[in-house]
Amino acid sequence: MKNFNSLGFTLAMAMASAMSSLSYAGAEDDPLLSYVAIDQLEKGLESDDPTSFSVQAWVGYDMDKIWLKTSGEYQNSDEQDLEVQALYSHAVAPYWDMQMGLRRDIKPSPSRDWLVLGFQGLAPYFFDIDGTFFVGEKGQTAIRLGIEQEWLITQKLILTPEFEVNAYGKSDDELNMGSGLTDINAGLRLKYEITRKFAPYIGIDWSKKFGATADIARHDGGSVSNSQFVMGVTAWF
Amino acid sequence: MTISKPSHEKLNKSSSGTVLSRRQFVFGASAMLALTTIPFSKNAFASAISQSLTQLSGKVFDLSIDYKTVNFTGTPARATVINQLFPGPLLRWKEGETVTLRVKNNLDHDSSLHWHGMILPTEMDGVPGLSFAGIKPGDTFEYTFPIKQSGTYWYHSHSGFQEQTGAYGAIVIDPKEADPVVFDREHVIMLSDWSDEAPETIYANLKKQSDYYNYSERTTSDLFSDIKKQGLVNTWRARSMWNQERMSDRDISDVTGATYTYLMNGNSPAQPWQALFKQGEKVRLRFINSSAMTIFDVRIPGLKMTVVASDGQNVQPITIDEFRMGVAETYDVIVEPKMEDAYCIFVQSIDRSGYTLGNFTSDEMFTAKIPDMDPMPILGHGDMGMNMEGMDHSKMAMGSDSMSGMEGMDHSQMAMGSGSMAGMEGMEGMDHSQSNTVIPTLGLAGYGSNNEIKHLESENGPQVDMQSGMPQSGLNDPGIGLRDHQANYNRKVLTYADLKGLHPTHDKRQPTREIQLHLTGNMNRYMWSINGINFADSAPLELAYNERVRITLVNDTMMIHPMHLHGVWSELETGDPDYIPRKHTVMVQPGSKISYLVTADALGQWAYHCHLLYHMPGMFRKVVIK
Ligand SMILES: [Cu+2]
């Protein structure tokens, strides 16, 4: 069960579910499960602040899953971001999954396609880490590292600091992207879990562009750093 | 290595203060009283008091498994019931007879009933896929087997997660000969956990977020109070291992009072079960933990309990204030309320997220005061099988191997010589430190394992998040959350080391081999296994017919696993080879090891598994005796 292509994976999933129905215990050890998490669905408090979302979903078993990750932002019809990733994920260590697949940046246009190789898991001291390496269709490369932690103020009131950094190997003029460190995003959200599966939150979000990307933004008269108060909900099922 | 034989004629004080040998005490009393005391049927009072168990007796039983709507929380939910009863009927059998049980499945899924703790032919054991094909919807299966034992047992569905939804009932078997336990009245007390959520939902929630039901995690306010109390450095130190290991020292129960309502004989604490006694009576309470996931701590404030049986088998009486019940274990205790009064049978879940209770009273008008729950246990590094606390790090140079088993030992006693240490768990470790040339040998029957702890290659992988380097003995330890009860509350808590069989050990042979099994898992992924291999990928464990084998269980997780071996007895090695207690379910404490002997005298295929319902699908082995 180590190396899977997607066909092999599908077959294995079908086999596993057929076999598990024979389980002597009667209860399935490793049932096919699905999961959809709206990690963020939020709006800035100022009227011209963007609305943004980040959703992850998977279907699969303990060791092998198909993941979908999507995130996007909408400010006005000119300023939109929408990215989708489809990944095959395999458990490689007690706390780590390797993930590979495809990413398409649908907005802004023109769209870009990437190959994705990533790892996701829980680092010591309970840091949730999502690290990804991308190779673009024109040979561009990019890395993204996301780190998140949960601080329990009470059992239901939870403060979540998070941090994301992006870097690109090559500039992409059409998308106003310079090479090198492009941007950093940091957020602090305070959520109240009404149930484990549903929590409204308030927070602050701060982002800053760097290097050539920042120069391009400046040149275009855009802002290099941006901070906003946000309100949103997080939910999963 | 020397182990001095402990005296077989240890003396016990009887309640009247006269010194008698232990067995004389019990048999002596029974010889005098057995003829004059007829065990009471508890059902004489059933109609007068709260919802109690309905008893069926005889040799032929018709049972049906159905869905039924119940309401324990204010919300109606679907239960799986036997003969429309929740819990199912109490089956009263007589040792030496043969019973026939016609079980009709009215569910729309396969079902089964397993007679937990019964020594019976494999095809009557009721485990789908191992003993029989299961009972198809609409079908009736006829179980028939001779009863070769007496005591308190129970039965439950072994199909799917039906056990969580109510498919269980009690079994009481009256002995053929006079009962060595003397009592005037008895009550059967079935403990369980109920959730309005479907068990499949609970399981899926745990797979998606393993701490889904844990509302006792550390918070930042804990952090500040810890820093205030012990300073920043000590707080950091105390937490850093947990943080590095990505584990929680508050990870006590997977499923908690956040979804569970704890029940006593099917009564919620909001409408407690009530049982009567008459002043001066000896009352036998037969406790059964028939929950899916909950380990319970039992006490009756104001009353001493004398444990007389464990898992249906008589043990030498031991008087205690409190005991812990793993899922599927049974304990019989005798209580003697001296006054007209009401007592609370108080049963708290191990993680203190809830409790159930009974009103044990001499008068229906009396209601006992409900005690407070004890503080929630917090796991220590010892529960991870690495006892770093208070350890002299200079000694680490000896190599971790030589330290195994030494933890918790008073080093000042080392000078007393090995003779006085006889029978103490942990001797193995010392042996190693004295010589590196010791060939692994089998420890003597009754004293437990001598062997090195070996983690197999199969334990490495995403499915296992922890290995105990230095597992402690699971014998003398009352367990997490109970360790300080003697000191803090002056409550004597039962430990496995206190259990000695009432009857002499049946099979006195030495074990000819030892099987070391590691209970493994990944809490975060909610995967459970044995030796790192889940049931679906495992090969059966083979035992030769009639062999005497030692099974040593090493717990490489931070949860207690109540391990249940079907078909044969698990003879727990508590240090007295002549009076080894027989159990069907043995709790293995976090980061600990424990050993028992098995006489493989039952041909066929048997199940061996953790009795926590949501661990069982993975932490399961087929055992073949041939
Ligand atoms: Cu378990």
Side-chain angles (χ1 to χ4, degrees):
Chain A
M1 300 267 289
K2 286 271 144 65
N3 300 310
F4 269 121
N5 53 40
S6 65
L7 177 67
F9 177 57
T10 317
L11 286 174
M13 277 199 175
M15 255 167 57
S17 59
M19 272 164 56
S20 55
S21 64
L22 301 173
S23 163
Y24 294 121
E28 273 185 68
D29 176 25
D30 190 7
L32 180 68
L33 295 175
S34 65
Y35 173 82
V36 178
I38 302 161
D39 290 336
Q40 286 171 12
L41 177 60
E42 66 189 26
K43 168 98 183 68
L45 291 187
E46 304 288 329
S47 57
D48 55 347
D49 281 344
T51 302
S52 61
F53 73 92
S54 160
V55 176
Q56 308 195 55
W58 56 253
V59 56
Y61 298 101
D62 287 338
M63 303 285 278
D64 298 285
K65 294 178 171 75
I66 300 287
W67 278 77
L68 279 173
K69 298 180 183 181
T70 173
S71 62
E73 197 174 282
Y74 182 90
Q75 200 153 2
N76 55 56
S77 50
D78 291 334
E79 285 188 70
Q80 297 179 50
D81 262 313
L82 180 59
E83 171 193 312
V84 181
Q85 293 183 36
L87 306 169
Y88 157 66
S89 174
H90 181 69
V92 292
Y95 295 98
W96 297 102
D97 293 340
M98 287 294 289
Q99 305 190 323
M100 62 187 109
L102 297 168
R103 161 181 156 191
R104 168 164 285 190
D105 299 343
I106 298 167
K107 293 277 166 65
S109 50
S111 72
R112 291 283 182 263
D113 288 316
W114 308 81
L115 280 173
V116 184
L117 182 67
F119 62 93
Q120 189 170 359
L122 189 64
Y125 293 88
F126 297 98
F127 288 103
D128 272 306
I129 294 197
D130 189 348
T132 323
F133 177 68
F134 303 99
V135 182
E137 54 195 319
K138 292 181 190 158
Q140 321 90 305
T141 53
I143 45 176
R144 177 185 291 167
L145 182 69
I147 302 176
E148 193 184 310
Q149 223 184 13
E150 287 202 328
W151 299 347
L152 273 64
I153 297 179
T154 70
Q155 300 299 326
K156 295 182 159 203
L157 189 65
I158 298 167
L159 190 65
T160 313
E162 59 197 297
F163 179 82
E164 187 186 283
V165 55
N166 283 291
Y168 284 79
K170 224 160 85 171
S171 62
D172 188 333
D173 297 339
E174 279 180 296
L175 294 176
N176 301 336
M177 204 76 83
S179 68
L181 178 66
T182 55
D183 62 279
I184 283 179
N185 195 294
L188 190 63
R189 287 173 179 77
L190 181 67
K191 67 176 171 181
Y192 183 78
E193 287 188 347
I194 293 170
T195 71
R196 279 281 195 237
K197 293 180 181 175
F198 180 79
Y201 64 80
I202 51 166
I204 43 172
D205 205 62
W206 172 86
S207 62
K208 189 170 162 64
K209 294 187 169 76
F210 289 91
T213 313
D215 294 341
I216 297 166
R218 263 187 224 108
H219 183 261
D220 293 350
S223 59
V224 168
S225 87
N226 181 38
S227 56
Q228 56 176 336
F229 288 94
V230 296
M231 243 175 79
V233 290
T234 169
W236 64 267
F237 49 88
Chain B
M1 164 165 144
T2 8
I3 291 179
S4 80
K5 262 188 156 182
S7 161
H8 301 156
E9 298 305 323
K10 263 188 208 154
L11 298 178
N12 247 20
K13 264 200 163 111
S14 79
S15 53
S16 61
T18 330
V19 178
L20 293 165
S21 108
R22 281 180 285 194
R23 287 167 302 288
Q24 267 175 350
F25 161 57
V26 184
F27 286 127
S30 79
M32 285 184 289
L33 295 170
L35 294 173
T36 55
T37 328
I38 296 150
F40 243 92
S41 162
K42 60 176 295 303
N43 284 317
F45 304 93
S47 55
I49 54 176
S50 67
Q51 183 71 34
S52 208
L53 300 174
T54 302
Q55 179 176 302
L56 301 177
S57 55
K59 295 181 191 174
V60 181
F61 299 83
D62 280 298
L63 302 176
S64 64
I65 308 173
D66 291 272
Y67 298 119
K68 188 184 179 184
T69 302
V70 294
N71 191 337
F72 293 112
T73 61
T75 309
R78 192 173 78 167
T80 312
V81 294
I82 297 157
N83 287 14
Q84 297 296 325
L85 296 166
F86 187 117
L90 159 60
L91 304 180
R92 188 137 208 145
W93 299 342
K94 178 113 180 120
E95 183 184 2
E97 292 183 343
T98 292
V99 287
T100 300
L101 303 125
R102 296 189 288 250
V103 180
K104 170 117 198 280
N105 175 14
N106 292 325
L107 309 180
D108 50 21
H109 286 92
D110 283 17
S111 193
S112 58
L113 287 180
H114 159 63
W115 318 101
H116 189 109
M118 286 300 112
I119 301 299
L120 40 59
T122 178
E123 64 277 11
M124 293 297 142
D125 194 40
V127 181
L130 282 187
S131 344
F132 75 142
I135 313 172
K136 297 273 166 241
D139 282 4
T140 299
F141 185 83
E142 191 172 294
Y143 295 86
T144 177
F145 50 88
I147 299 159
K148 299 173 172 173
Q149 62 208 88
S150 64
T152 308
Y153 303 89
W154 65 299
Y155 61 97
H156 59 82
S157 165
H158 224 289
S159 298
F161 293 134
Q162 289 166 13
E163 195 188 307
Q164 172 79 85
T165 57
Y168 46 77
I171 297 171
V172 174
I173 308 171
D174 293 312
K176 197 157 61 178
E177 314 289 336
D179 199 326
V181 182
V182 175
F183 55 98
D184 305 308
R185 181 194 298 255
E186 67 169 13
H187 295 290
V188 178
I189 301 175
M190 265 205 129
L191 309 169
S192 60
D193 45 22
W194 168 263
S195 172
D196 286 342
E197 288 184 285
E200 291 76 14
T201 309
I202 295 175
Y203 193 54
N205 286 340
L206 291 166
K207 289 258 188 200
K208 293 173 192 180
Q209 185 184 347
S210 62
D211 63 353
Y212 188 90
Y213 296 103
N214 184 351
Y215 283 93
S216 304
E217 291 285 12
R218 276 190 187 280
T219 62
T220 42
S221 54
D222 290 344
L223 179 69
F224 292 127
S225 74
D226 280 9
I227 292 172
K228 216 182 251 175
K229 263 185 263 163
Q230 357 169 346
L232 188 65
V233 175
N234 286 331
T235 304
W236 173 265
R237 212 176 269 163
R239 290 174 180 229
S240 73
M241 181 178 266
W242 297 98
N243 290 334
Q244 278 169 32
E245 299 290 331
R246 290 153 281 195
M247 288 178 180
S248 165
D249 59 354
R250 311 297 177 88
D251 187 2
I252 310 296
S253 292
D254 303 350
V255 191
T256 69
T259 188
Y260 278 153
T261 302
Y262 301 108
L263 306 177
M264 185 177 287
N265 289 343
N267 297 265
S268 74
Q271 289 168 305
W273 177 69
Q274 180 159 279
L276 290 176
F277 66 83
K278 279 205 194 98
Q279 180 187 4
E281 278 181 325
K282 277 181 196 278
V283 184
R284 179 178 195 159
L285 303 176
R286 299 174 182 265
F287 285 96
I288 302 164
N289 185 350
S290 59
S291 64
M293 287 297 284
T294 310
I295 289 160
F296 285 117
D297 292 338
V298 180
R299 63 193 167 96
I300 309 175
L303 278 185
K304 293 267 175 201
M305 296 181 274
T306 301
V307 176
V308 291
S310 168
D311 291 0
Q313 300 294 292
N314 294 319
V315 295
Q316 297 175 17
I318 165 109
T319 300
I320 50 141
D321 298 289
E322 189 167 15
F323 64 97
R324 173 161 288 170
M325 290 191 87
V327 172
E329 285 187 302
T330 75
Y331 279 100
D332 291 28
V333 306
I334 298 285
V335 291
E336 295 175 68
K338 293 277 188 286
M339 293 183 303
E340 301 240 325
D341 204 348
Y343 298 89
C344 182
I345 301 171
F346 189 64
V347 180
Q348 45 186 347
S349 71
I350 184 177
D351 65 321
R352 315 297 182 231
S353 63
Y355 60 82
T356 187
L357 54 86
N359 193 40
F360 183 52
T361 179
S362 61
D363 187 315
E364 282 173 54
M365 303 309 287
F366 297 166
T367 307
K369 187 180 169 292
I370 301 168
D372 291 332
M373 280 197 286
D374 292 313
M376 189 193 73
I378 293 175
L379 294 161
H381 292 164
D383 300 311
M384 290 168 97
M386 33 180 115
N387 209 320
M388 308 294 286
E389 282 152 330
M391 210 186 215
D392 184 351
H393 284 251
S394 64
K395 293 207 175 88
M396 295 288 275
M398 287 162 69
S400 59
D401 199 20
S402 62
M403 300 288 290
S404 70
M406 286 182 66
E407 58 278 358
M409 224 181 205
D410 184 349
H411 287 244
S412 63
Q413 287 177 6
M414 301 277 276
M416 287 165 66
S418 59
S420 61
M421 312 261 304
M424 256 178 102
E425 283 276 322
M427 294 286 293
E428 321 82 70
M430 290 176 56
D431 231 39
H432 281 273
S433 63
Q434 281 151 16
S435 151
N436 282 326
T437 55
V438 172
I439 301 155
T441 49
L442 287 176
L444 291 171
Y447 293 101
S449 174
N450 252 351
N451 275 331
E452 240 180 287
I453 302 300
K454 275 194 191 134
H455 297 281
L456 297 172
E457 189 49 42
S458 55
E459 268 200 72
N460 296 314
Q463 75 282 11
V464 178
D465 63 4
M466 178 186 135
Q467 294 181 0
S468 309
M470 298 177 252
Q472 317 168 82
S473 164
L475 223 43
N476 285 287
D477 180 6
I480 48 162
L482 297 176
R483 286 173 189 142
D484 52 4
H485 281 199
Q486 182 72 63
N488 291 357
Y489 314 113
N490 198 27
R491 290 188 215 147
K492 157 77 182 155
V493 183
L494 184 77
T495 68
Y496 275 166
D498 294 324
L499 298 178
K500 308 278 175 214
L502 179 64
H503 303 291
T505 304
H506 190 67
D507 187 347
K508 292 222 167 166
R509 290 178 296 165
Q510 294 298 322
T512 50
R513 70 178 173 124
E514 178 174 330
I515 300 169
Q516 189 179 104
L517 294 173
H518 289 244
L519 309 177
T520 46
N522 181 328
M523 187 64 205
N524 197 46
R525 294 185 188 275
Y526 211 75
M527 296 171 73
W528 301 101
S529 52
I530 294 173
N531 289 345
I533 302 166
N534 68 345
F535 176 50
D537 298 329
S538 71
L541 210 63
E542 292 191 1
L543 304 183
Y545 182 65
N546 234 5
E547 81 167 312
R548 185 78 166 156
V549 60
R550 168 179 289 127
I551 295 179
T552 297
L553 297 173
V554 181
N555 189 344
D556 287 330
T557 78
M558 296 195 315
M559 318 295 302
I560 297 175
H561 302 285
M563 296 300 293
H564 171 42
L565 175 58
H566 292 220
V568 291
W569 289 109
S570 303
E571 298 179 48
L572 194 60
E573 297 183 278
T574 58
D576 185 344
D578 299 317
Y579 293 94
I580 299 179
R582 303 200 290 193
K583 288 180 65 61
H584 49 61
T585 308
V586 174
M587 274 192 289
V588 194
Q589 301 198 44
S592 295
K593 58 173 183 168
I594 201 155
S595 294
Y596 46 80
L597 299 170
V598 169
T599 294
D601 55 3
L603 287 170
Q605 304 195 104
W606 303 100
Y608 188 23
H609 60 89
C610 176
H611 222 285
L612 297 182
L613 191 61
Y614 305 115
H615 292 190
M616 184 173 86
M619 203 178 266
F620 193 111
R621 276 292 181 278
K622 174 165 142 179
V623 172
V624 180
I625 301 178
K626 57 184 175 191

